[in-house]
Amino acid sequence: MEWNEQDGDDLKMLGVYSTEQKAQERIVLARSLPGFREEPNCFLIDRHTIDEARWDDGFVTALHNE
């Protein structure tokens, strides 16, 4: 997954859902909340496998150049 954020934006996880339909329903509700309603098209649904290891090689923190 690649995420390209503008300055000042954060990545927020709304939850983990068993179906895409449930994830879509959550997005509909979130669009009425402060912060999310200002960016109603900023949502992403990403599919993952349960019980599958991630980050096998660790991670790197990339800092924004000031």
Side-chain angles (χ1 to χ4, degrees):
M1 174 170 69
E2 184 177 323
W3 197 264
N4 184 7
E5 287 293 318
Q6 295 178 12
D7 290 344
D9 284 351
D10 296 331
L11 177 66
K12 308 270 191 296
M13 180 186 276
L14 291 176
V16 178
Y17 298 93
S18 58
T19 67
E20 185 173 347
Q21 179 179 345
K22 289 181 180 184
Q24 291 286 359
E25 291 168 0
R26 178 62 178 108
I27 288 171
V28 169
L29 293 173
R31 284 185 173 138
S32 67
L33 300 173
F36 293 118
R37 82 175 127 228
E38 289 80 17
E39 297 187 52
N41 298 316
C42 68
F43 297 95
L44 169 74
I45 296 175
D46 195 22
R47 190 175 297 239
H48 291 278
T49 302
I50 296 173
D51 296 329
E52 179 179 276
R54 307 293 269 172
W55 301 88
D56 292 330
D57 297 326
F59 67 92
V60 175
T61 300
L63 300 176
H64 179 63
N65 293 333
E66 295 183 19

